Amino acid sequence: MYAFDIERPTTVADAVEALKADEAQPLGGGQTLIPTLKARLAAPSKLVSLGNVKEMQGISIDGDTLRIGGATIHATVATEARSRYPGLARLASKIGDPAVRNRGTIGGSIANNDPAACYPAAALASGATIITNTRQVAADDFFLGMFETALDEGEIVTAVSFPIPEASNYQKFVQPASRFPLVGVFVAKFADGVRVAVTGASEGGVFRWTEAEQALSGTFAPDALDGLNVSEDGMINDLHGDGEYRAHLIKIMTGRAVKAAS
Amino acid sequence: MTKVTMTINGKSVSRDVEGQTLLVSFLRDDLHLTGTHVGCDTSQCGACTVHVDGKSVKSCTMFAVEAEGAEVKTIEGMANADGSLNVMQQAFQDHHGLQCGYCTPGMVMSATALLKDNPKPTEAEVRKHLEGNICRCTGYHNIVKAILAASGQDVSAIAAE
């Protein structure tokens, strides 16, 4: 790693101030950033650790939404969200491995927008709101492409607010070496319709499968997907699976998620 | 350099470290606690697993300064007060849960964290929990058996496999 300093502010305001330094970068749980630094793919002058910011910790119920602080680790979501939003808790319980879940944070996952990360699928399928130090952004407007989000320089994901669906399920077809999904599908059924978000598959990152949403909003059953097909155009082609395979998996995993949620 | 203070295996430790110093480097290079191993250095293998405030973490994927004020426990802090092996360590020996021994410190730390949350895990739960700890010698059978035995469960049926 190149040399850098680490600051550990205790408030969002101090973190934002610290991030104004040249080449400063926020540090969540570091489960992606630290390997990136080791590979010398990033060279910040300073890391601003968000782990000590109390106001970004923990889970609360806010009306009919679940609000999760940006610095909340996956292990906490896996246990504390279980009674209110079991689909989301189950997703969190399957990220990485136990030690990774004790460090990795939801804010880090959302802000990094890895094209195979799990949380962006939950945020997009739930119609979540991404709360930052300056504004609130709908998930539909937040995830812009592979490793690309609507975040400005120095802007921090302080919380994510999830509307709680009537039923939900996340199905992840694991790439066993990395434990990231080769394809992951989050299905969320709300009173006014169904949302389906897909991760791991597209070169554009997480996306909504709108044809499946329309079909499932009519009939919430795996059969509703009969006749639908995902095009392999724009799907990720790599040594783990080609675009055609990933496109096929999207339909299969969506069907499984609907079955598990019904 | 930043001054960090943490409690390691019950003893308070203060040192000046650079920002990029990993917790595992701090333990091994600064404190000479070389029981914690570096296997892959890419957070896959789990050989570097330690406990920070009671939770298992990969010490190759955490900075030393992030452990400021924390209680850290490493394999050196696991034995009984009289120096004898604790229940988990003894179970690994009794059930041949190690061969080369490289992954063993991480396995013991991970297994101990599992039993703290889930004192009587099923075999499937043990295997699931070990997803982040890689062993290239044993094929995992005897590790799983050791952990189940350490939890006080009868492992004679597994021994027949």
Side-chain angles (χ1 to χ4, degrees), chain A residues 6 31 38 97 102-103 177, chain B residues 19 41 56 58 60-61 66:
Chain A
I6 299 182
Q31 301 304 284
K38 287 180 180 181
D97 60 55
N102 282 335
R103 294 293 303 162
Chain B
D41 200 25
S56 62
K58 294 183 175 180
C60 82
T61 310
E66 292 181 282

Side-chain angles (χ1 to χ4, degrees), chain A residues 28-52:
Chain A
Q31 301 304 284
T32 297
L33 181 56
I34 295 176
T36 305
L37 291 164
K38 287 180 180 181
R40 294 192 164 184
L41 295 172
S45 63
K46 176 163 80 175
L47 291 184
V48 179
S49 165
L50 304 174
N52 263 9

